[in-house]
């Protein structure tokens, strides 16, 4: 139908119509094209894909060897041999990086007590040195984010604006779960955002970098390392070091809920007893 | 030169005489100063509200001296380092100024906020006392209605005040308020646009809420509180039944000097409590909330406690959207508009509903003990259970987080609890009232349990009861009428033992004295004898 249109006619000028090729010729052409396409795809893949599979098993450093010992004793049940992960038990640790290990193990969340909505913070099972060894092992196993060296809290003498900028970033990125005061908050189905009162700068940095439990990852293209340091400065200086005026007790920083409890438990109770006392004097 | 003699003793008399000659003040003043108020601790709960309102006026005036109700954008350059350079509204900047630079400003702000919480808390407690004792019955129905309107006005005063600092938390509250207005069918859009002067948040709302918060609502509160107290004066205070107390008299203390002194002292106590809380407990740290940005919503964003029941109802409401043609009624409409409207206006009509139901048209100046009207107690328990569940659900995320409960479980517990627990509370409280009634009647019929067990010659054990009144020929007590007041149920209440409580919180326990009337000689205490088991 469209072949009669002027456009269709013009196109025919450029098409070479020398009669249909033979069946064998068509088959041969298709096979050659297929081989060429496969070779191209394979070539591109080998050019760009990581060479991990091809390599010989890498020699682990001495620290990582120690870490592997610990891993094989304490972590392998859920995370499997060589951090491959076990279905319905523990995720693969390939690519999580030493930052993740230092957060999860350093805060006592790993090893986990039981499978539940989210790992609870508890007394760390491994000391600082052992945590480092575990981290090194996971790092050498599959790479991933690492904690930067150097100071994580800005020096406010040199850079006084860091505090206000950190506060702004904290309110935009962190308060929707951790709340304005860093007191933590509930998420759905038993998950939660923990309080930030006892988190160290390294832990906060590692958490932002790796997104533990239900926290999203704040990669370096979302929050630059400088912005991460500013947020840590705000948490450290403003929320943890108790710079808050307004009395000796902030009621946990849970907002109007605890304020409402306080007015009944302290205010009304005190005044009802006063009323009893005054009315009793007759 | 002769010195004029000044008679100092005569001076006040002369001054008072002079005042009376000019203003004729003696007659009304005498009536006022001699006015008698009955004394009971539960009658002082309303005063807590009155006194915290006075504290609110005093601290509020202080805050207005420094507050700038403007939404003009400024860059903060004040004393608080963690916000320096941040763009914010002038209202928020001046609130920070009050908190950090005005001398005593933060203390005043905290006192104002704590006093507001106390005002609403004492209104609710006072209302519970009025309800459960039946003090709202004829002739005081109007005062009950005024009290409910006072709660509603306090609610609005609290909400507008909560919004004024224009911080991150109050802006979130305003956003919810605007959403509630928008959810009203047909008029919602116009209502929200007229209040905010266009789209939320606009540039007007702080100025408008300011004038409502410092003039219109306090004016209404002041007027209604005056009428409320005026009616208490005119209709006289209710009193508990008891010896010498009838429906037509008031037994208590004169306004002056004792009652006035007590009230003055109680005001000091309320002021001291508010100041203590303001000095010890941080409230509403606005500097942590930052200026309001629509993108910054914190977890645990709650309204103050007296608005939390509405927040709770909104959280519990299932997601049921109703479509009518091209229009829809969002689920928010039912809890936030219908629910709030019904819960704040419905109880206004309770006194008339109860009077109609019981057909009771008499005047009641004597209170009823809660146990003597189980149905009323049951309905009150039901209402308060509902209110408490709704309020707890308003903070269900904080409860879920701090007590390690799933937030979803909290929501479902609230939904189910809201339907199941109020009827349960009704049943339990009615049974408790009936049980207490039964026990009162038992003591009146048989006497007080002495704790002494007597063994009869035939081997039977009986407990010795102390009759409260005369006995018949066989030594059995003649059943007494219930007088609507406390029935002594322990031996020390009838003078058998020394008082158990030394009188710090309660008057020293004395044996109930028979009414003294000129026609009857007083009962003498000489004929009492010790009760024993009968063994010599």
């Amino acid at each position: 139908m469209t072949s009669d249109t002027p456009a269709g006619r013009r196109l025919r000028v450029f098409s070479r119509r020398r009669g249909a090729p033979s069946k064998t010729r068509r088959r041969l052409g298709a096979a050659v094209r297929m081989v060429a396409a496969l070779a191209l795809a394979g070539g591109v893949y080998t050019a760009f894909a990581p060479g991990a599979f091809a390599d010989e098993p890498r020699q682990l450093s001495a620290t990582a060897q120690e870490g592997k010992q610990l891993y094989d004793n304490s972590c392998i049940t859920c995370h499997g041999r060589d951090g491959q992960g076990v279905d319905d038990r523990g995720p693969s640790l390939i690519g999580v990086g030493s930052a993740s290990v230092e957060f999860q193990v350093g805060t006592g969340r790993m090893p986990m007590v039981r499978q539940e909505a989210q790992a609870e913070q508890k007394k760390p099972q491994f000391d600082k040195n052992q945590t480092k060894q575990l981290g090194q092992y996971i790092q050498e196993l599959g790479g991933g984010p690492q904690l930067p060296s150097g100071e994580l809290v800005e020096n406010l003498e040199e850079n006084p604006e860091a505090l206000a900028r950190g506060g702004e970033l904290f309110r935009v990125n962190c308060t929707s779960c951790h709340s304005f005061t860093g007191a933590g908050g509930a998420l759905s189905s038993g998950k939660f955002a923990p309080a930030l009162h006892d988190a160290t700068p390294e832990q906060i940095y590692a958490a932002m970098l790796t997104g533990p439990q239900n926290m999203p990852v704040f990669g370096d293209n979302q929050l630059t390392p400088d912005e991460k340091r500013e947020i840590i400065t705000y948490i450290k200086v403003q929320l943890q070091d108790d710079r808050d005026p307004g009395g000796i007790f902030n009621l946990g920083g849970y907002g109007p809920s605890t304020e409402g409890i306080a007015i009944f438990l302290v205010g009304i109770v005190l005044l009802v007893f006063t009323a009893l006392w005054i009315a009793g004097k007759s | 030169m002769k010195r004029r003699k000044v008679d100092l003793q005569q001076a006040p008399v002369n001054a008072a005489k002079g005042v009376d000659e000019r203003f004729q003040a003696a007659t009304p003043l005498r009536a006022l100063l001699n006015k008698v108020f009955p004394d009971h601790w539960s009658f002082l709960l309303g005063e807590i509200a009155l006194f915290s309102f006075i504290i609110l006026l005093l601290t509020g005036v202080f805050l207005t001296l420094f507050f700038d109700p403007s939404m003009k954008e400024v860059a903060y350059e004040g004393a608080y380092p963690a916000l320096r350079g941040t763009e914010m509204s002038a209202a928020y900047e001046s609130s920070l100024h009050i908190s950090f630079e005005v001398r005593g400003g933060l203390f005043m702000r905290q006192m104002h906020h704590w006093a507001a919480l106390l005002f609403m808390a004492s209104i609710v407690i006072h209302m519970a006392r009025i309800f459960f004792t039946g003090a709202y019955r004829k002739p005081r129905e109007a005062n009950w209605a005024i009290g409910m309107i006072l709660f509603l006005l306090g609610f609005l005063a609290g909400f507008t005040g909560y919004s004024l600092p224009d911080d991150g938390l109050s802006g979130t509250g305003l956003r919810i308020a605007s959403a509630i207005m928008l959810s009203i069918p047909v008029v919602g859009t116009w209502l929200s646009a007229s209040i905010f002067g266009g789209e939320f948040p606009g540039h007007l709302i702080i100025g408008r809420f300011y004038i409502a918060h410092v003039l219109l609502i306090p004016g209404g509160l002041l007027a209604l509180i005056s009428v409320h107290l005026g009616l208490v004066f005119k209709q006289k205070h209710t009193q508990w039944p008891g010896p010498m107390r009838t429906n037509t008299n008031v037994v208590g203390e004169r306004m002056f000097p004792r009652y006035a002194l007590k009230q003055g002292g109680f005001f000091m106590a309320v002021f001291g409590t508010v100041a203590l809380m303001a000095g010890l407990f941080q409230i509403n740290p606005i500097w942590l909330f930052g200026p309001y940005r629509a993108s910054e919503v914190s977890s645990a964003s709650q309204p103050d406690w007296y608005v939390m029941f509405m927040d709770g109802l909104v959280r519990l409401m299932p997601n049921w959207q109703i479509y009518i043609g091209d229009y829809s009624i969002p689920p928010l409409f039912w809890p936030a508009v219908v629910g709030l409207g019904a819960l704040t206006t419905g109880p206004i009509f309770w006194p008339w509903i109860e009077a109609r139901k019981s057909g009771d048209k008499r005047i009641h100046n004597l209170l009823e003990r809660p146990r003597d009207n189980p149905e009323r107690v049951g309905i009150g328990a039901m209402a308060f259970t509902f209110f408490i569940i709704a309020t707890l659900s308003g903070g269900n995320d904080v409860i879920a987080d701090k007590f390690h409960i799933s937030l979803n479980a909290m929501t479902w517990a609230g939904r189910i609890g809201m339907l199941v627990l109020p009827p349960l509370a009704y049943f339990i409280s009615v049974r408790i009232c009936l049980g207490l009634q039964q026990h009162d009647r038992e003591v009146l019929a048989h006497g007080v349990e002495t704790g002494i067990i007597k063994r009869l010659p035939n081997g039977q054990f009986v407990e010795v009861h102390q009759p409260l009144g005369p006995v018949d020929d066989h030594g059995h007590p003649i059943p007494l009428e219930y007088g609507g007041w406390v029935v002594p149920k322990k031996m020390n209440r009838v003078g058998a033992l020394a008082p158990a409580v030394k009188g710090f919180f309660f008057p020293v326990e004395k044996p109930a004295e028979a009414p003294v009337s000129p026609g009857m000689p007083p009962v003498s205490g000489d004929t009492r004898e010790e009760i024993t088991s009968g063994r010599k």
Side-chain angles (χ1 to χ4, degrees):
Chain A
M1 193 179 150
T2 48
S3 60
D4 291 334
T5 60
R9 238 177 277 131
R10 205 177 322 130
L11 266 177
R12 210 174 283 161
V13 175
F14 297 102
S15 65
R16 292 173 294 170
R17 300 204 66 182
R18 286 175 295 182
S22 74
K23 206 173 178 186
T24 334
R25 207 188 150 112
R26 264 189 288 147
R27 288 235 172 109
L28 200 67
V32 167
R33 279 199 293 277
M34 174 62 101
V35 169
L38 280 175
L40 184 69
V44 167
Y45 179 76
T46 21
F48 290 103
F53 297 107
D55 284 354
E56 290 286 297
R58 245 181 301 162
Q59 202 56 45
L60 293 174
S61 66
T63 325
Q65 283 288 358
E66 302 271 340
K68 184 172 162 52
Q69 287 286 325
L70 294 169
Y71 180 91
D72 287 346
N73 279 334
S74 302
C75 319
I76 199 163
T77 322
C78 299
H79 291 294
R81 191 181 294 275
D82 295 331
Q84 306 277 336
V86 178
D87 277 348
D88 298 330
R89 221 184 279 164
S92 162
L93 299 182
I94 303 297
V96 300
S98 65
S100 181
V101 177
E102 288 193 27
F103 179 84
Q104 302 275 11
V105 179
T107 58
R109 286 183 166 81
M110 290 291 151
M112 227 173 159
V113 177
R114 58 181 169 271
Q115 295 285 346
E116 54 190 329
Q118 166 170 342
E120 298 270 353
Q121 186 175 8
K122 57 184 180 296
K123 197 170 162 288
Q125 303 291 298
F126 298 104
D127 62 24
K128 251 191 154 59
N129 196 27
Q130 290 170 319
T131 310
K132 275 260 174 313
Q133 292 166 347
L134 272 171
Q136 185 64 31
Y137 172 60
I138 297 298
Q139 188 68 36
E140 290 184 18
L141 207 57
Q146 282 173 291
L147 278 182
S149 54
E151 200 55 43
L152 293 179
V153 181
E154 296 278 345
N155 187 347
L156 288 179
E157 302 274 305
E158 295 168 12
N159 186 8
E161 295 92 48
L163 188 61
R165 271 206 305 272
E168 183 78 48
L169 290 166
F170 181 80
R171 288 191 295 275
V172 172
N173 293 293
C174 316
T175 52
S176 49
C177 302
H178 291 286
S179 96
F180 282 131
T181 56
L187 305 173
S188 60
S189 303
K191 294 173 249 172
F192 61 94
L196 302 175
H197 300 313
D198 55 354
T200 64
E202 289 76 23
Q203 289 166 356
I204 301 171
Y205 199 102
M208 286 191 273
L209 210 52
T210 63
Q213 317 293 337
N214 295 292
M215 182 166 159
V217 173
F218 293 90
D220 283 350
N221 48 355
Q222 282 142 319
L223 288 172
T224 65
D226 275 343
E227 288 175 332
K228 286 195 178 77
R229 271 195 288 275
E230 283 162 4
I231 290 179
I232 292 171
T233 309
Y234 180 77
I235 297 173
K236 193 81 199 140
V237 172
Q238 198 57 49
L239 301 182
Q240 293 185 345
D241 290 356
D242 199 24
R243 291 270 177 95
D244 247 7
I248 56 168
F249 182 33
N250 67 0
L251 301 172
Y254 304 141
S257 310
T258 38
E259 291 162 8
I261 294 171
I263 198 64
F264 279 93
L265 285 190
V266 180
I268 290 290
V269 165
L270 266 180
L271 288 172
V272 164
F273 274 100
T274 313
L276 276 167
W277 177 55
I278 287 182
K281 299 282 167 210
S282 53
Chain B
M1 208 171 100
K2 196 183 168 193
R3 284 180 63 191
R4 278 179 63 194
K5 247 183 131 179
V6 179
D7 192 351
L8 269 181
Q9 277 191 330
Q10 209 56 34
V13 178
N14 290 336
K17 201 171 170 198
V19 170
D20 187 42
E21 281 166 357
R22 290 177 181 84
F23 304 110
Q24 288 82 43
T27 312
L29 257 185
R30 175 174 298 152
L32 187 71
L33 297 182
N34 280 339
K35 186 150 185 76
V36 169
F37 284 91
D39 215 3
H40 190 263
W41 68 270
S42 68
F43 300 166
L44 294 171
L45 298 174
E47 266 87 344
I48 303 177
L50 175 67
F51 296 150
S52 30
F53 182 69
I54 294 171
I55 298 170
L56 281 169
L57 291 182
L58 295 175
T59 52
V61 167
F62 180 89
L63 295 176
T64 57
L65 301 180
F66 303 98
F67 182 69
D68 176 11
S70 148
M71 294 177 88
K72 194 179 65 190
E73 283 284 304
V74 292
Y76 182 68
E77 290 303 335
Y80 181 66
L83 284 171
R84 226 170 264 158
T86 309
E87 290 279 319
M88 56 180 65
S89 67
Y92 184 55
E93 194 212 15
S94 62
S95 306
L96 291 173
H97 177 69
I98 290 172
S99 305
F100 293 116
E101 283 142 292
V102 174
R103 190 164 295 223
L106 180 57
F107 181 63
M108 283 296 195
R109 237 199 71 219
Q110 300 212 127
M111 263 189 91
H112 193 70
H113 205 140
W114 281 120
L117 297 193
L118 184 65
F119 179 64
M120 296 305 284
S122 50
I123 285 181
V124 171
I125 302 274
H126 172 60
M127 195 194 76
R129 198 284 291 177
I130 299 290
F131 181 86
F132 287 113
T133 59
Y136 55 78
R137 290 174 298 172
K138 188 180 170 186
R140 295 180 181 78
E141 303 99 326
N143 232 9
W144 165 268
I146 290 171
M148 288 303 303
I149 296 168
L150 279 172
F151 177 85
L152 194 58
L153 277 180
F155 181 99
L156 292 176
F159 182 72
T160 49
Y162 174 93
S163 303
L164 284 185
D166 201 22
D167 58 75
L169 189 60
S170 71
T172 305
L174 263 182
R175 172 84 265 195
I176 294 170
S178 105
I180 290 171
M181 289 172 208
L182 288 172
S183 78
I184 302 174
V186 187
V187 297
T189 323
W190 281 276
L191 183 69
S192 169
S194 62
I195 287 179
F196 288 95
E199 185 52 60
F200 172 88
H203 296 280
L204 298 171
I205 189 68
I206 297 292
R208 289 181 174 179
F209 269 25
Y210 180 69
I211 204 66
H213 183 74
V214 303
L215 179 73
L216 302 178
I217 300 173
L221 278 169
L222 201 59
L224 282 182
I225 288 175
S226 310
V227 177
H228 199 67
L229 294 181
L231 278 176
V232 172
F233 264 73
K234 180 74 194 74
Q235 299 177 331
K236 301 191 178 58
H237 204 290
T238 50
Q239 62 182 349
W240 288 106
M244 320 262 294
R245 295 173 186 178
T246 68
N247 208 20
T248 49
N249 71 357
V250 181
V251 177
E253 289 178 339
R254 283 180 179 164
M255 173 89 157
F256 196 82
R258 280 193 61 118
Y259 192 74
L261 279 176
K262 280 187 171 191
Q263 292 294 311
F266 196 45
F267 173 70
M268 300 292 172
V270 174
F271 195 96
T273 305
V274 171
L276 190 76
M277 294 191 76
L280 293 181
F281 305 135
Q282 182 192 62
I283 187 164
N284 204 23
I286 51 164
W287 51 90
L288 295 179
F289 305 157
Y292 176 61
R293 306 254 192 279
S295 56
E296 295 169 13
V297 177
S298 169
S299 67
S301 281
Q302 260 96 22
D304 278 341
W305 76 266
Y306 45 87
V307 187
M308 230 181 254
F309 72 95
M310 194 189 78
D311 205 62
L313 292 178
V314 171
R315 287 174 188 215
L316 296 185
M317 179 72 195
N319 184 22
W320 294 334
Q321 181 121 345
I322 298 172
Y323 294 97
I324 305 165
D326 287 344
Y327 301 94
S328 67
I329 304 174
L332 179 64
F333 175 70
W334 303 108
V337 181
V338 178
L340 180 70
L343 286 176
T344 48
T345 53
I348 289 177
F349 303 102
W350 169 252
W352 291 279
I353 295 170
E354 193 197 53
R356 193 190 170 91
K357 201 158 51 98
S358 62
D360 185 356
K361 293 204 171 68
R362 285 167 302 158
I363 285 188
H364 295 279
N365 290 322
L366 286 178
L367 297 172
E368 216 170 2
R369 298 176 81 197
R371 66 186 63 176
D372 294 335
N373 199 328
E375 199 190 340
R376 178 193 297 145
V377 173
I379 286 170
M382 204 152 81
F384 270 93
T385 309
F386 185 86
F387 180 76
I388 289 168
I389 293 172
T391 303
L392 288 180
S393 295
N396 63 4
D397 57 332
V398 177
I399 298 174
D401 186 35
K402 302 311 160 199
F403 291 95
H404 295 250
I405 305 166
S406 158
L407 181 57
N408 308 38
M410 280 297 299
T411 305
W412 276 104
R415 284 174 181 168
I416 296 167
M418 178 153 283
L419 297 176
V420 171
L421 291 183
L424 202 66
Y426 177 90
F427 177 75
I428 292 172
S429 52
V430 166
R431 295 312 307 180
I432 289 175
C433 286
L434 291 175
L436 289 169
Q437 272 187 22
Q438 171 94 9
H439 192 231
D440 279 353
R441 304 305 189 276
E442 222 170 83
V443 171
L444 288 170
H446 302 296
V448 183
E449 292 174 1
T450 59
I452 297 168
I453 307 290
K454 195 153 79 172
R455 192 177 184 193
L456 301 182
N458 62 8
Q460 184 191 0
F461 288 98
V462 290
E463 189 185 358
V464 178
H465 284 77
Q466 166 65 48
L468 287 172
V471 291
D472 62 14
D473 296 342
H474 301 285
H476 297 306
I478 299 165
L480 297 168
E481 274 292 305
Y482 177 63
W485 186 228
V486 178
V487 175
K489 290 179 178 175
K490 284 189 256 163
M491 287 304 282
N492 54 344
R493 292 270 177 184
V494 290
L497 296 164
V501 182
K502 292 290 184 228
F504 187 76
F505 285 128
F506 290 103
V508 178
E509 288 173 354
K510 283 185 224 147
E513 280 170 26
V516 184
S517 74
M520 293 274 284
V523 180
S524 70
D526 303 339
T527 52
R528 294 165 192 249
E529 55 181 81
E530 196 188 351
I531 308 170
T532 62
S533 62
R535 276 182 69 186
K536 297 289 172 201

